[in-house]
Amino acid sequence: METALKIEHLNKYFGKRQILHDICMEVYAGEVFGFLGPNGAGKTTTIKIVVGLLRLDEGDVQIHGHSVTKNYEDAMACVGGIVENPELYKYMTGRENLRQYARMRKGVDEARIDEVVKLVGLSNRIDDKVSKYSLGMRQRLGVAQALLHHPKLLILDEPTNGLDPAGIKELRDILKNLAHKENIAVLVSSHLMSEMEMMCDRVGVIVGGKMLDVRTTAEMISAAQDTSIRYTVKVSDPARAAELLTQLPENAKQTEGDELVLRIETDKADEIISGIIETLVSNRIRVMTCIPEQTKRLEDVFIAMTQENGGAQIG
């Protein structure tokens, strides 16, 4: 896989206070990488270093093979981004904003402007004044602006802030399309776990200025799953049902009102729960419902990692 962004042993200090501690990670072409962390964890500080808005103190950042400390101009030519909110001229149209930005970049012509406008789905409103745009439309115009010069890496810091559910979905679809179809590396920072779970191919979690883990979204969730599943079974006679289930140890079954609560080993759960229901029905115990607990989500994993590592604030 082609490495679009490589961060090696990055440290940052504000005075005597260390803000970032030995950050290491890579982002590849063709993926959406979620940079996750609570407020104050160091996400924006890291991103500002990557895009050249802050100086790093130790370590190195390479964008498409170019070091930001040794070859700054070539590195910055490969990156486009929005840190916090896109800066736009509201009295201009969307197209005029893009033309203004294009003047600062070589090789950006009207055909490229039309191309990025189509990519972000603004073709029917690009000639309206930005003052008439919704927040979601401004975010899309900001993405278009960041894409004008064909960057290898697109960085968005909290891009869904203030967007309604429809706007969030629109932006999510745009970013996934850019990564998977245009082969651009997309780095998105956020603390909205449900959105990142749907959007990202891989995620990295930063807490207290330290990188805790980098994995695919599925791997991170799977690693945190319990080895057993809790089933809630609503039956006509819970006490008798518990007595009949001799194949389960006593600590794996308990009654709660008209419900039987069972704990089943995950690797054989379907087979075991099927046998349990068959046993109950054959002994004239009516089974009304059998509901497994929800598997853990990225949000559950994130909260657990945050709590285990001292909470949100850097120190």
Side-chain angles (χ1 to χ4, degrees):
M1 291 182 288
E2 182 183 10
T3 302
L5 171 65
K6 186 174 185 178
I7 300 177
E8 296 180 294
H9 306 292
L10 176 62
N11 292 292
K12 178 63 182 174
Y13 302 84
F14 288 156
K16 295 182 179 180
R17 186 184 183 196
Q18 187 168 2
I19 302 301
L20 300 178
H21 303 258
D22 199 40
I23 302 296
C24 297
M25 70 182 200
E26 294 184 1
V27 180
Y28 305 119
E31 74 169 348
V32 180
F33 184 96
F35 192 32
L36 313 181
N39 291 330
K43 301 188 303 297
T44 299
T45 300
T46 303
I47 286 173
K48 285 183 175 179
I49 290 172
V50 171
V51 299
L53 297 177
L54 277 178
R55 180 179 60 85
L56 62 84
D57 292 320
E58 297 169 356
D60 193 22
V61 173
Q62 295 179 25
I63 301 173
H64 204 56
H66 304 294
S67 169
V68 298
T69 56
K70 300 174 183 176
N71 201 350
Y72 178 80
E73 290 188 4
D74 288 340
M76 291 301 107
C78 297
V79 61
I82 304 173
V83 181
E84 295 169 344
N85 296 307
E87 296 297 330
L88 304 166
Y89 296 106
K90 294 181 181 180
Y91 61 89
M92 291 183 176
T93 67
R95 189 182 300 277
E96 288 168 344
N97 267 274
L98 294 180
R99 285 173 177 163
Q100 187 75 1
Y101 184 74
R103 293 171 57 198
M104 297 182 284
R105 295 288 189 173
K106 294 180 181 178
V108 179
D109 55 16
E110 282 294 319
R112 178 57 180 169
I113 290 175
D114 289 338
E115 184 180 355
V116 296
V117 167
K118 185 178 179 181
L119 272 175
V120 301
L122 271 180
S123 297
N124 63 330
R125 297 293 303 275
I126 194 62
D127 293 308
D128 292 351
K129 290 189 182 297
V130 172
S131 60
K132 298 180 180 179
Y133 281 13
S134 67
L135 183 56
M137 292 169 64
R138 291 177 192 173
Q139 287 284 34
R140 281 193 275 171
L141 183 60
V143 172
Q145 179 177 288
L147 291 171
L148 274 178
H149 61 292
H150 298 277
K152 302 290 185 181
L153 172 66
L154 177 64
I155 298 178
L156 304 175
D157 184 26
E158 303 285 1
T160 58
N161 274 358
L163 296 184
D164 61 18
I168 290 173
K169 183 183 183 304
E170 288 173 0
L171 184 61
R172 179 176 73 235
D173 292 343
I174 289 168
L175 298 182
K176 290 172 72 173
N177 181 66
L178 287 172
H180 301 158
K181 294 183 180 180
E182 304 294 325
N183 203 40
I184 294 173
V186 180
L187 171 65
V188 182
S189 84
S190 183
H191 57 269
L192 299 178
M193 297 302 106
S194 59
E195 186 55 36
M196 293 297 98
E197 186 173 343
M198 289 187 283
M199 184 190 301
C200 300
D201 302 296
R202 289 192 306 137
V203 294
V205 178
I206 182 172
V207 176
K210 299 176 182 178
M211 207 70 185
L212 299 185
D213 202 359
V214 177
R215 302 193 197 191
T216 67
T217 309
E219 286 172 346
M220 192 164 287
I221 294 171
S222 177
Q225 297 296 347
D226 295 330
T227 58
S228 62
I229 301 175
R230 184 178 185 269
Y231 285 85
T232 302
V233 187
K234 189 172 183 179
V235 294
S236 57
D237 189 342
R240 183 161 176 263
E243 292 175 0
L244 289 169
L245 300 180
T246 56
Q247 69 269 49
L248 294 180
E250 291 302 318
N251 61 358
K253 55 187 178 181
Q254 62 186 73
T255 59
E256 295 180 1
D258 61 350
E259 295 176 337
L260 186 63
V261 179
L262 309 175
R263 176 100 19 208
I264 310 295
E265 289 301 311
T266 303
D267 57 347
K268 297 180 180 179
D270 290 344
E271 179 184 342
I272 293 173
I273 202 68
S274 176
I276 286 171
I277 292 173
E278 185 177 341
T279 297
L280 296 178
V281 172
S282 65
N283 283 275
R284 299 181 181 277
I285 301 290
R286 286 185 294 120
V287 179
M288 278 71 81
T289 59
C290 179
I291 304 173
E293 67 180 1
Q294 280 194 324
T295 56
K296 288 185 178 178
R297 312 298 295 179
L298 185 60
E299 184 175 40
D300 302 315
V301 179
F302 174 76
I303 290 172
M305 292 178 75
T306 301
Q307 291 175 342
E308 290 171 5
N309 289 273
Q313 299 303 314
I314 53 181

